[in-house]
Amino acid sequence: MPTRPDLAPEAGLSRDEMEPLQREIADAAVFEDDVRFDPAAITTPLEAAASADDSAPIVAGVDQSFLDDDRALSAVVATQAGEVIERAHAVTPLEIPYIPGLLAFREGGPILAALAELSVDPDLLLFDGSGRIHFRQAGIATHVGVVRDVPSVGVAKSLLCGEPTESTENLPAGTRVSIEANSRVDAPDGTLLGYAVQTRQYDSPNRHINPLYVSPGHRVGPETAADVVQALSSQYKLPEPVRLADSYAEEAKSLVE
DNA sequence: GCGACAG
DNA sequence: ATCTTGTCGC
């Protein structure tokens, strides 16, 4: 499967050009497993401690922080068998504001720049944001996954669109609820877009934690996407590579001016 | 016109 | 996303 630099998310396009481009992305995307590694081999440090795998899949988390009103810092943290093997970041100017549905055009440039700084090549990319759970089935995880032709997963903290098939209030840890397409999504009603995944939950009856909204980016099906996120979320709500990218995005600010 | 809306 | 006080629970 080829990379698609021609479909890169460029800020500078008009809105009337962005949306058709997203439909092309969705057409090029593969929303089922097409990976060259064993998803079951993705582990957390503790589980992997026994064997310091050189052959374990490389999973990278990606996240952004902001320096000004007009510069983004994108951070990538690559992990293997639960250990950090490389970190990279890039600072680029922000060209457009945040618009729901068009996030990839705001943050895609910085992300591609940070990925270019990475020397290892990841087997799987985890993004802070949606994949197929998107109006045109082309969230930032899908867009970057297709452009780079790397398996990817979207991990969002809130739901952009789509409809949970049952209540997602106070789900027990380890459970998931289907998210299906509704009228706001460019797919037949009822299409499985992803899952609300409860990676952590409090024991107490009052306070509770909201689920993550996990969806295929590219070359990963919804079940595998949810499985991988659960496998990588041991101690905290967010999967470890995303959490690490989150804190590195903050930490790397001091390395800039 | 009104509501919904990742980061 | 970012800012920031207050509150809950272990």
Side-chain angles (χ1 to χ4, degrees), chain A residues 7-9 21-22 25 104-105 138-148 217:
Chain A
L7 301 181
L21 176 52
Q22 290 184 321
I25 288 290
F105 295 92
I140 194 160
T142 301
H143 206 136
V144 177
V146 167
V147 168
R148 293 289 309 258

Side-chain angles (χ1 to χ4, degrees), chain A residues 212-224:
Chain A
L212 291 173
Y213 297 94
V214 178
S215 57
H218 182 45
R219 293 172 51 181
V220 176
E223 276 74 27
T224 297

Side-chain angles (χ1 to χ4, degrees), chain A residues 156-204:
Chain A
K157 295 180 287 295
S158 58
L159 189 59
L160 175 60
C161 58
E163 191 70 28
T165 53
E166 54 187 280
S167 170
T168 57
E169 285 300 306
N170 205 4
L171 296 172
T175 64
R176 56 186 71 167
V177 169
S178 300
I179 305 295
E180 295 183 342
N182 56 13
S183 61
R184 299 169 59 199
V185 180
D186 200 345
D189 274 32
T191 302
L192 179 65
L193 300 178
Y195 287 101
V197 178
Q198 197 75 46
T199 56
R200 300 275 296 165
Q201 191 51 280
Y202 293 134
D203 298 317
S204 44

